[in-house]
């Protein structure tokens, strides 16, 4: 295993320590619950928003806590949903008079932890609503009762509800908004390599030199099918069609287009992929109003990408364009 | 059914045994979960039971019920994912069911195991055949109940149950995963062992040996 | 070779096409010279700033063209300095009345191309000044006449002169400023893996499962020494001392601290590294005024990082904090 | 020295030969550059000479001088890095030196090769022993000059020069790189071949064979 880390058991706390030290003015870190939260939360006129999920998806979610984004994140270990107690304690700590919005990616572990944590918080009179994100079209919804996974599309849900909450939206409005974003967001992922959870020390899966995996999730779960590696444009041809046909996105639709890196793919490759996706979107008559190329929701050092389309309306576009802050930044 | 009363110290002995099995098999369990899942099963469970052992002396040992509720809390605060909630809920509900009892009969034990099975079913909205813990646990508990009914002593009954557990875990190979992360791989999960079921088997195997030696 | 690309010979143009399509409102792309430039340049009251370098270091430099950053970038192929003609043509296209600032990382190839390109441009009456960036302490200055390499520290030079040029600084002032930033900037890099230039198809160097390379450049050149892999904190202990002792940075100094990813290292690991570097900086009495964790200057998909320290003064701090835009963005 | 006049078509023949050698050895040259450099040497040169061949028919063939200046321009617009400037400058200066000449003697040829050597020295601020092109090119040109002086015919002289080139390239193994990217590896560059010198050797080797066959 080639990683910059100390004791693999401390992978998550060591990372959180780094985030906390870098942002002492804006963030609070509570090691007991892997909790990174805004220092200025709760606020009387704002719903507090949190997401859990496992670690290993950075910047999601601990590095996108900030004004206009998440108010708190309490990740579990790498690829493990947070323990129910983290969810409960975090909910209590961020709860203001307007309540708490739980965002979660649709995985059994996360759902279970958040259900339990919510029950405990509600028992103490905290109002909680939940938006379940399930943008991954790789999973065929009908086949399994677990439903679609939540993947990189969660960024758009967070960004939208984060912006709306700063403008004073109620818990109910945010729940509605979140679900509306989910309903217009679709994603599909591809991997060239597996990834190695630090505590496991070996790759979750391995691909031959000429193979790629279509339809991966963000936990290194193998995907829909394993095929021979293709030129970038060919891959995008297939992936774009799968995503665009799903909603479907139609000529005249205004969209946001995201090429998300899985952690080990350089941004040069992401732009190669973006270029052809942009061409296909235009060919289909979609109007690209916003674009996102970079790492938003990763699987450790996996080489791979996902493509996300979001259908925009003026309100949503405005929320996505609203100013926001996060630990990750360029300048 | 033979009268053989299980005491507070036996309950604690079982928890300690489970912890040992989990810690010993950390890498193996993670490896199994890695085939179609995300490879964290062994790690997650190990961190939970490690904490149970670390806090052992500070825990409430007044009654088996209180003790198990405390174990549940520790697990819920340390283990994430499916396992954290499942194991936490199991221990919690069994603890609640025990109430203030300090001695439990073998009938009680079977009843408690059914409480655990129901906890998994409800929390995981799953059932036999979904390729979860249940596929090992249900046949094993059935076997134990039958052995008790046939008048076997506990050590002997556990040995029989452990054999059934091992067979049932092995039999999960033929199942398609319908729950948890492995479900995403669909048909590809056929041929692989369910990590949770193997854990159940290993726990009963070790417990049977330990009970005999004890 | 596991990469998302088409014909490896088109790696750079395909990437540039992606950048251009994504930023049609703000950037101009001239394929003949691999040129990405601001659409609103040249301007009468602003020196134009360009950097060349090879490709494969993205976001440097084609993705950091924008207001307050570079006005143009004309990269060569992967890891190859731009042809002299690109430098010449780009200089001509962006030249306004206040002249053109050439920034370049100190590599023989870049120096040669920029010297030649500058000569040709000057022959046409364009005023050009050059700042050579050489922040890499891994190269022992005295031993070889080639001098230190320019690596991730170039970000700070670009950011500072970019901001100053927006405020109307003259070419001479910018040259001085650039050299001043170089003089207070130091970097050292570490790799866990090599990287594979697309056209070559095989890794430039390979490291054993338990090896790492200390003192790498940004072109996959092997570094100072090859050693057994160490825990993250141990690595930072060594790297931080090498960097901090070089200027040296002294108790009471105000600094910017950067952990730059080399392309294949996930940001979770970068924050693990950052956390300990932050601790060591504080222990030495340095005041961290700005921090940077992410990818600024990469080597394709290399797993590795570099650590940069910049000594700040109030003017420099203000320039680094000034607003800026680039193709890479988060929101 | 024997009188043997080199014509315009011979100059073009040499350029074509160089292009062939470069294209044929693309992967090999890059591999050599990858050991201590950045692995782009073969690729860079190949893209340049590919473009020279592609534009061949549109180039100015009026005189060898004009032709070489055009070759220089094409390379400077297509090849980056050390090689782009070095090769571009070499062809440019040799072209300038040629002026309007259409026939050149063997003495002229040696003089032109010295122009090329000086171009490298000046542009690269390097000299013999720095582990660059020069370590193959200088001994090779010396050998060629000597062979001409001894009255060998061009084919024979080229054969001798090619042998010296190969030996000199091989001898770069013992040198520490003092220029270019390989310099950063310091002592570690000992034992490795200099990519630029090997290119010189291959070019002379192929040229000697081609000249004989021609
Ligand atoms: N819905 C479910 N209910 C009960 N048990 C489940 C469920 N899904 C999976 N399991 C069991 O949990 C095991 C995996 O646990 P774990 O790795 O902790 O889950 P995850 O990584 O998906 O959060 C599986 O081997 C299976 O036995
Ligand atoms: N300063 C220099 N002057 C002349 N030739 C040089 C110099 N540095 C390196 N070389 C030659 O150039 C070759 C590498 O060329 P190339 O790969 O194009 O350079 P780079 O990748 O460093 O830009 C080396 O093998 C060496 O022969
Ligand atoms: Mg998990
Ligand atoms: Mg798992
Ligand atoms: Mg190069
Ligand atoms: Mg090179």
């Amino acid at each position: 295993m080639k990683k910059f880390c100390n004791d693999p058991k401390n992978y998550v706390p060591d990372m959180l320590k780094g985030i906390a030290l870098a942002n002492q003015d804006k963030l609070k870190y509570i090691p007991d619950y892997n909790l990174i939260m805004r220092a200025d939360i709760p606020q009387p006129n704002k719903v507090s928003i949190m997401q859990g999920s496992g670690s290993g998806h950075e910047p999601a979610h601990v590095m996108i806590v900030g004004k206009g984004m998440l108010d708190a994140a309490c990740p579990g270990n790498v690829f493990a949903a947070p323990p129910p107690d983290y969810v409960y304690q975090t909910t209590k700590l961020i709860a203001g008079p307007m309540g708490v919005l739980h965002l979660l990616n649709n995985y059994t572990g996360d759902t279970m932890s958040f259900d339990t944590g919510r029950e405990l918080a509600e028992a103490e009179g905290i109002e909680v609503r939940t938006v379940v994100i399930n943008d991954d079209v790789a999973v065929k919804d009908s086949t399994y009762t677990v439903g679609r996974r939540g993947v990189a599309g969660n960024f758009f849900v967070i960004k939208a509800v984060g912006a709306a909450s700063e403008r004073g939206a109620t818990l109910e409005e945010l729940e509605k908004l979140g679900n509306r974003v989910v309903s217009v967001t679709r994603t599909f992922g591809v991997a060239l390599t597996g990834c190695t959870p630090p505590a496991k020390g070996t790759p979750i899966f391995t691909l031959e030199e000429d193979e790629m995996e279509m339809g991966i999730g963000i936990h290194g779960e193998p995907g829909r099918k394993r095929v021979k590696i293709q030129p970038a444009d060919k891959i995008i041809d297939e992936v774009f069609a799968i995503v665009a046909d799903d909603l479907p996105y139609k000529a005249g639709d205004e969209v946001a287009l995201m090429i998300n890196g899985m952690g080990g793919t350089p941004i040069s490759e992401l732009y190669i992929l973006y270029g052809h996706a942009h061409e296909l979107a235009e060919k289909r008559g979609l109007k690209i109003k916003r674009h996102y190329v970079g790492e938003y929701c990763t699987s450790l050092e996996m080489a791979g990408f996902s493509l996300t389309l979001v259908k925009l309306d003026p309100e949503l576009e405005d929320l996505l364009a609203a100013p926001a802050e996060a630990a990750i930044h360029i300048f | 059914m033979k009268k053989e009363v299980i005491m507070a110290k036996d309950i604690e002995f079982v928890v300690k045994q489970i912890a040992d099995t989990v810690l010993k098999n950390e890498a193996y369990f993670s490896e199994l979960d890695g085939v179609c899942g995300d490879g964290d099963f062994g790690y997650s469970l190990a961190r939970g039971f490690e904490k149970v052992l670390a806090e052992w002396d500070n825990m409430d040992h007044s009654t088996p019920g209180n003790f198990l509720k405390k174990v549940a809390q520790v697990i819920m605060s340390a283990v994430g994912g499916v396992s954290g909630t499942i194991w936490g809920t199991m221990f919690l509900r069994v603890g609640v069911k025990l109430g203030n009892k300090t001695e439990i009969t073998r009938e009680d034990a079977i009843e408690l195991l059914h409480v655990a099975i129901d906890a998994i079913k409800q929390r995981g909205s799953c059932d036999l055949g979904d390729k979860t813990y249940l596929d090992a646990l249900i046949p094993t508990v059935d076997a134990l109940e039958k052995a008790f009914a046939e008048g076997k002593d506990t050590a002997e009954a556990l040995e029989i149950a452990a054999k059934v557990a091992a067979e049932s875990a092995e039999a999960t190979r033929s199942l398609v995963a319908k729950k948890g992360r492995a479900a995403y791989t669909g048909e590809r999960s056929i041929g692989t062992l369910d990590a949770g079921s193997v854990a159940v088997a290993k726990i009963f195997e070790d417990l049977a040996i330990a009970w005999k030696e004890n």
Side-chain angles (χ1 to χ4, degrees), chain A residues 283-303:
Chain A
K283 215 159 131 189
R284 191 178 270 251
L286 307 183
K287 293 193 197 116
I288 302 173
K289 304 285 277 188
R290 302 189 66 80
H291 73 276
Y292 301 81
V293 183
E295 292 178 351
Y296 291 87
C297 194
T298 63
S299 295
L300 295 168
E301 79 288 2
M302 181 185 282

Side-chain angles (χ1 to χ4, degrees), chain B residues 53-87:
Chain B
L53 294 182
E55 303 205 354
W56 193 274
D57 293 336
N58 306 322
M59 289 210 266
D60 182 347
H61 296 267
S62 58
T63 64
N66 286 338
F67 174 72
L68 289 184
K69 281 190 270 182
K70 185 65 202 165
V71 168
Q73 269 173 33
V74 170
I75 287 177
M76 289 235 215
S77 74
V79 184
V82 168
S83 301
T85 309
I86 290 286
W87 286 77

Side-chain angles (χ1 to χ4, degrees), chain A residues 79 81 83 107 144-145 199 213 223, chain B residues 38 43 76 80-81 179 181 186 188:
Chain A
F79 295 166
Y107 292 93
Y144 306 105
T145 50
E213 182 93 25
Chain B
D38 59 352
Y43 181 81
M76 289 235 215
K179 293 286 169 182
R181 290 205 208 289
R188 280 210 261 165

